[in-house]
Amino acid sequence: MKMPAISSACRPVALISLAAVLCAPAARAGEASLTLDGGWHDLTNAANSAKAVFDGVSGGPTGGVALQYGLGESFFVRAGARYFQRNGERVFVAAPGSPVFDLGHSLKVRIIPAYGLIGFRFLQGGSFRPYIGIGGGVTSYNEESDVAGEIFTSTATKPSGQGVIGLDYGRGTVRFGGEVGYSLVPDVIGFGGVSNVYGEDDIGGLTAVVRLSFVR
Amino acid sequence: MKLISRLIVGATLAAGGAFLLHPLQASESIRIASLRTPAEPIAAHRADEVVVQFRNQVEDRDVSRVTRESGADRVRRGRSRGRYLMHLDAGFTVAEALDRLRARPEVEYAEPNAIFRASQVRRVTANDTFFNAQWHLEMVDAPRTWAIQSGDPSVVVAVLDTGIAYEDFGPYRKAPDFGTTVFVQGFDFINNDTHANDDNFHGTHVASVIAESTNNAIGGAGLAFGTALMPVKVLDAEGVGDTFSIAEGIDFAAENQAVKVINMSLGGGGNSSSIANAVTRAVGRGVTVVAAAGNDGEGTVSFPASLANVIAVGAIDGRKQKTPYSNFGSALDVVAPGGDIRRDDTGPGQRPDGRPDGILQQTFDPDTAAERGRYDDFAYFFVVGTSQACPHVAALAALLYRQGITDPSAIQASIQSTAEDLGPAGRDNTFGHGLLRPSVALTGLGLNR
């Protein structure tokens, strides 16, 4: 399988992640957990474009699943994926700042990021454990719209990077938490459509989720 | 000669529907009309009339006094506040009247009542009518356009022209292929009555480009055939009008809230503040104004198409080349099929089909009308000119409004940004932004495509 090339924007993220993993303390038998999360993803980096086709809203609901493994008391690694889909419609906009006119042709956008990250948890031994993390992965983009039976599609899979900050609560088998993250996914859009009008090419942005973890 | 023709418009391309053509059943013949030229030069303005715009606060008694002292024999109030048409007394010239009026503080401006002509060059008639002979609709991909939308009677296009053959009234007859076309009340500013009947042929042909009844098994098709039409007669039987009539016509059309597009296949006469102000008011009311670039073959677009808030339309032939007669220049916005009767490039495979490359739509025989006063000798005629190119764009403007673009400047931007680039890359003075592409404009923009 051909691996996607790592863009220059993601190389520092990838190098830092690799260094963190290599420099992490030797693991004892760590915690493993399965996490389900759900919340909101905002296409912050393409807000104008998203608002144009999504009737003034730049994001939508998202949900995901992840596997996490503790490296000692503080470090952890996580691998996961999320799913984002939003329906909108094709529009016309003449230029940035111009009014947007809905044309009534349905449009669907789907974004699926798959990621790995390494994190650090603070306050060892406590019930509340804030943490930070950084990582990268690949994100799949799919857009489809139907104009009187003619289907217009746009697909891309690009490297992505993200950073997160969160808080977990609990010491038992089931734990709760919340997390805010920011992602970068450049060079996905901007080749046509409203994203070309606004000059926006990045489908990343802010994501806020609540988390439910099952710890073993 | 009675015409019988059967035609079925093709189904959508996306559904893979076949494009069906039934051959003409009745006998047919092709008649070549003679080229008519004016017997004498046409004056630039009326010799005994002046258009005057008074300032807002001027009262009627002051209007009466000022116009009388400036040589008026009688005065006619216009539709717009403060605008009047002065008929001059025998002893006054237009120049003298203008000098006196412009010296008065009550007068905002005064101008000659200039003469405008329909933007049509020549015509060739043919009695055989098929949709596949309307190469101009194929060029702008009408079948695909209709799959998206074909117009709605809630959107009205006002056709400012010689009138339209839209009703049976006195000697006038409704054109046979307007059976399902919706008309709204118009006005005749030449004869000052509510029956804007066509006594020339030009307006009916132009209106048919927009909304000739389609998919009714007769005649030809119109690009926005579901759209309603408003006949506004501002040109006389010779295809001649003037500043006052045209400004009145624009104001009348714009006052109807359902009117979203004005088509003006006319030009010449020079710049006019009255017309420019009327256009500005219309655009301010959300009306998109489209006008023909003119048929002088010159590098300057005719007025009123030259106005910045009017979409100026030039003409191309069946090869997508600029026609010799079409004006061009910096004010040109887009081009549309206007035809060239000297050429035959639009048969299958771009080979000759024995028919001249004119714009084929219904109207009545102008020779019969002019010589015998009969306005019922209907047939399907190939006509060329920027007059014929212009209503293609007016039709698209109506479709775009119905699709959801409700601002005139946005409609203009949509038409320009989706046009097929012709000539040098980017906008140029020969083709403007290029050839209109209705289906692309109606498709709009997704997030990335």
Side-chain angles (χ1 to χ4, degrees):
Chain A
M1 181 179 76
K2 185 177 180 181
M3 299 298 290
I6 298 177
S7 71
S8 58
C10 292
R11 282 198 192 110
V13 172
L15 288 173
I16 291 171
S17 302
L18 180 62
V21 171
L22 292 175
C23 297
R28 296 184 307 183
E31 290 181 336
S33 62
L34 172 69
T35 299
L36 303 175
D37 63 40
W40 186 270
H41 173 64
D42 188 271
L43 278 75
T44 314
N45 303 335
N48 293 315
S49 303
K51 287 178 182 176
V53 298
F54 296 144
D55 198 22
V57 179
S58 57
T62 186
V65 63
L67 288 173
Q68 183 165 303
Y69 186 77
L71 301 173
E73 282 292 330
S74 298
F75 285 92
F76 67 89
V77 291
R78 182 196 299 171
R82 285 209 182 97
Y83 184 87
F84 167 91
Q85 177 176 311
R86 178 137 195 141
N87 294 333
E89 64 182 292
R90 298 180 70 88
V91 300
F92 176 75
V93 57
S98 298
V100 176
F101 298 91
D102 299 331
L103 299 186
H105 309 303
S106 64
L107 172 145
K108 181 170 67 180
V109 170
R110 191 172 62 231
I111 298 173
I112 303 176
Y115 63 92
L117 64 80
I118 185 165
F120 182 88
R121 293 187 298 177
F122 303 92
L123 302 182
Q124 294 183 19
S127 294
F128 287 94
R129 303 234 27 210
Y131 63 87
I132 58 173
I134 190 168
V138 292
T139 296
S140 166
Y141 172 84
N142 180 276
E143 172 189 337
E144 185 174 294
S145 52
D146 183 342
V147 180
E150 184 171 353
I151 308 299
F152 295 82
T153 61
S154 174
T155 60
T157 300
K158 295 286 184 177
S160 51
Q162 64 171 326
V164 301
I165 183 169
L167 176 67
D168 281 338
Y169 173 76
R171 295 175 61 86
T173 305
V174 178
R175 299 177 190 178
F176 303 93
E179 180 180 290
V180 175
Y182 177 77
S183 59
L184 289 169
V185 195
D187 296 330
V188 177
I189 56 176
F191 304 100
V194 295
S195 60
N196 180 252
V197 175
Y198 290 112
E200 295 173 331
D201 72 340
D202 190 322
I203 57 171
L206 290 169
T207 304
V209 295
V210 292
R211 302 172 67 242
L212 177 63
S213 299
F214 302 93
V215 180
R216 181 180 178 185
Chain B
M1 174 179 294
K2 184 177 181 181
L3 303 176
I4 301 175
S5 59
R6 300 183 62 80
L7 174 71
I8 299 177
V9 177
T12 65
L13 295 176
F19 180 77
L20 306 176
L21 174 66
H22 288 207
L24 187 66
Q25 301 296 318
S27 60
E28 60 194 54
S29 65
I30 297 176
R31 288 178 286 155
I32 306 298
S34 61
L35 174 63
R36 297 176 65 203
T37 56
E40 56 189 35
I42 301 295
H45 59 80
R46 301 207 185 279
D48 59 353
E49 292 179 353
V50 169
V51 178
V52 56
Q53 176 70 43
F54 284 89
R55 302 187 190 281
N56 279 344
Q57 65 274 23
V58 177
E59 297 182 357
D60 285 350
R61 61 172 182 270
D62 294 322
V63 170
S64 180
R65 174 176 52 80
V66 170
T67 54
R68 188 173 58 254
E69 292 173 354
S70 300
D73 176 53
R74 60 187 185 277
V75 177
R76 177 177 153 195
R77 187 194 303 272
R79 179 166 297 274
S80 170
R81 180 184 173 85
R83 184 171 69 213
Y84 294 84
L85 178 67
M86 281 176 49
H87 293 267
L88 300 179
D89 193 67
F92 283 86
T93 64
V94 169
E96 289 170 350
L98 289 176
D99 285 342
R100 293 188 179 205
L101 288 166
R102 289 167 178 167
R104 303 303 297 257
E106 302 93 336
V107 172
E108 182 176 345
Y109 63 82
E111 59 188 1
N113 196 16
I115 292 173
F116 288 76
R117 300 184 63 81
S119 302
Q120 177 263 326
V121 177
R122 61 182 68 185
R123 61 216 181 273
V124 174
T125 64
N127 285 344
D128 47 337
T129 55
F130 297 98
F131 173 61
N132 71 339
Q134 294 183 292
W135 59 270
H136 48 103
L137 294 182
E138 188 66 39
M139 178 178 280
V140 300
D141 204 5
R144 173 58 191 159
T145 299
W146 296 330
I148 301 172
Q149 202 228 120
S150 58
D152 187 89
S154 62
V155 178
V156 177
V157 178
V159 180
L160 271 61
D161 213 289
T162 60
I164 302 176
Y166 74 102
E167 64 171 355
D168 292 340
F169 178 75
Y172 305 102
R173 290 292 172 268
K174 183 175 182 177
D177 207 12
F178 276 146
T180 58
T181 304
V182 175
F183 291 93
V184 302
Q185 181 63 55
F187 197 85
D188 179 348
F189 287 95
I190 299 298
N191 302 298
N192 262 316
D193 61 48
T194 58
H195 296 274
N197 305 112
D198 189 1
D199 52 7
N200 174 272
F201 89 92
H202 183 269
T204 298
H205 195 273
V206 166
S208 295
V209 173
I210 300 169
E212 185 167 334
S213 297
T214 301
N215 208 19
N216 61 345
I218 66 169
L223 182 56
F225 59 84
T227 298
L229 296 175
M230 171 189 279
V232 183
K233 185 172 175 60
V234 299
L235 304 176
D236 64 17
E238 297 297 316
V240 177
D242 58 40
T243 301
F244 190 80
S245 300
I246 293 168
E248 292 285 279
I250 296 170
D251 283 331
F252 173 84
E255 287 168 6
N256 185 317
Q257 290 187 342
V259 172
K260 299 305 176 186
V261 183
I262 290 175
N263 183 94
M264 289 195 285
S265 289
L266 51 83
N271 293 342
S272 161
S273 298
S274 298
I275 292 176
N277 290 341
V279 167
T280 298
R281 281 192 296 273
V283 173
R285 287 171 177 256
V287 178
T288 299
V289 182
V290 189
N295 299 327
D296 308 301
E298 295 179 349
T300 303
V301 170
S302 296
F303 182 89
S306 56
L307 291 170
N309 53 2
V310 172
I311 302 177
V313 185
I316 58 172
D317 64 18
R319 305 167 300 158
K320 296 184 182 179
Q321 300 291 321
K322 191 188 89 66
T323 59
Y325 57 79
S326 181
N327 287 351
F328 55 99
S330 60
L332 186 68
D333 289 304
V334 291
V335 293
D340 188 342
I341 59 164
R342 303 170 308 164
R343 302 200 62 88
D344 183 5
D345 301 306
T346 57
Q350 301 264 287
R351 293 193 302 272
D353 60 1
R355 301 189 185 116
D357 290 346
I359 304 304
L360 181 63
Q361 307 285 166
Q362 70 173 346
T363 189
F364 53 83
D365 192 320
D367 293 327
T368 306
E371 296 165 7
R372 303 182 210 165
R374 278 181 52 204
Y375 310 103
D376 59 353
D377 189 8
F378 290 101
Y380 297 87
F381 290 75
F382 292 100
V383 181
V384 301
T386 55
S387 277
Q388 278 57 45
C390 181
H392 289 82
V393 178
L396 174 55
L399 295 177
L400 287 171
Y401 188 93
R402 176 76 175 113
Q403 196 68 43
I405 305 177
T406 55
D407 175 75
S409 61
I411 288 175
Q412 183 168 358
S414 171
I415 293 173
Q416 291 175 345
S417 65
T418 58
E420 176 187 349
D421 191 13
L422 301 177
R427 194 214 164 270
D428 56 79
N429 285 347
T430 301
F431 300 101
H433 292 269
L435 171 64
L436 79 163
R437 292 192 293 183
S439 62
V440 179
L442 292 169
T443 294
L445 304 169
L447 187 58
N448 193 40
R449 190 178 170 195

